[in-house]
Amino acid sequence: MVEQTLSIIKPDATKKGVIGKIIDRFESSGLRIAAMKKLQLSKCDAQQFYAVHKERPFFGDLVEFMISGPVVVIVLEGEGAVLKNRDLMGATNPKEAEPGTIRSDFAESIDANAVHGSDSLENAANEIAFFFAQREIC
C-alpha cells in the first residue's frame, strides 16, 4: 500500500552537510519525495511537535537540540513508507543501529541521531499536517 511518512533531517546532520546523502538513501530505496523544506524550528514549534514527550526527562534537551540549527522536513511516499523509512533510519541509538543505516553512518549519539521518522500511519498523518499544508504535497 502506498503510504506517506514524515522524515526530519535533524540539526546535527544538516551541520555535517549530509542532507543530500540522506535524501539519496530515501530515493534509492524507492521512496519518493512528495514535499520538502528546510527551516529553523522555534522553541514553540519544537515543544508542540514533541509534546508527546513532555513529561519525559529528556524533553528539554530534545527541544534545545532541535532548535540548535536548521532541519529539513520531508514527506516521503511509497509502498510501506513508514516501515521502510524506519528500516533505513536504524535504531535510535546509533551504536545499536545496523551498519549501512542512516543513524549508523551519520548519527553522533542517541540524542544527536541525524533523523526523525514517523512511527505509525496515524502519527505520520499528524506530523505531516504539522509541517505542511495539503497544497504543498505533490
Side-chain angles (χ1 to χ4, degrees):
M1 175 170 100
V2 175
E3 300 173 349
Q4 289 184 336
T5 190
L6 184 85
S7 178
I8 301 175
I9 301 176
K10 294 181 176 181
D12 57 314
T14 63
K15 285 177 188 164
K16 281 185 193 172
V18 295
I19 296 168
K21 291 178 181 180
I22 293 172
I23 290 171
D24 182 56
R25 302 276 180 105
F26 298 145
E27 291 183 321
S28 294
S29 75
L31 293 172
R32 186 181 77 77
I33 294 174
M36 179 170 63
K37 56 185 155 185
K38 186 176 184 182
L39 51 91
Q40 176 71 50
L41 295 176
S42 69
K43 190 169 193 168
C44 184
D45 290 337
Q47 288 172 331
Q48 284 181 304
F49 185 76
Y50 287 107
V52 65
H53 299 302
K54 191 167 64 173
E55 301 304 320
R56 297 188 137 157
F58 61 81
F59 179 72
D61 289 339
L62 175 61
V63 167
E64 289 305 312
F65 169 66
M66 290 301 292
I67 66 172
S68 69
V71 298
V72 178
V73 290
I74 305 168
V75 177
L76 298 170
E77 188 174 84
E79 289 290 327
V82 172
L83 185 56
K84 186 177 280 190
N85 183 40
R86 297 207 52 88
D87 288 344
L88 288 169
M89 289 190 311
T92 303
N93 183 344
K95 292 178 182 158
E96 298 170 4
E98 291 289 322
T101 61
I102 293 169
R103 288 179 173 149
S104 171
D105 292 346
F106 303 117
E108 298 169 15
S109 68
I110 195 165
D111 298 318
N113 63 7
V115 286
H116 163 89
S118 304
D119 61 3
S120 68
L121 278 173
E122 181 182 354
N123 285 341
N126 292 333
E127 291 177 356
I128 289 167
F130 184 87
F131 286 107
F132 293 94
Q134 194 57 46
R135 71 179 184 285
E136 296 177 291
I137 303 170
C138 336

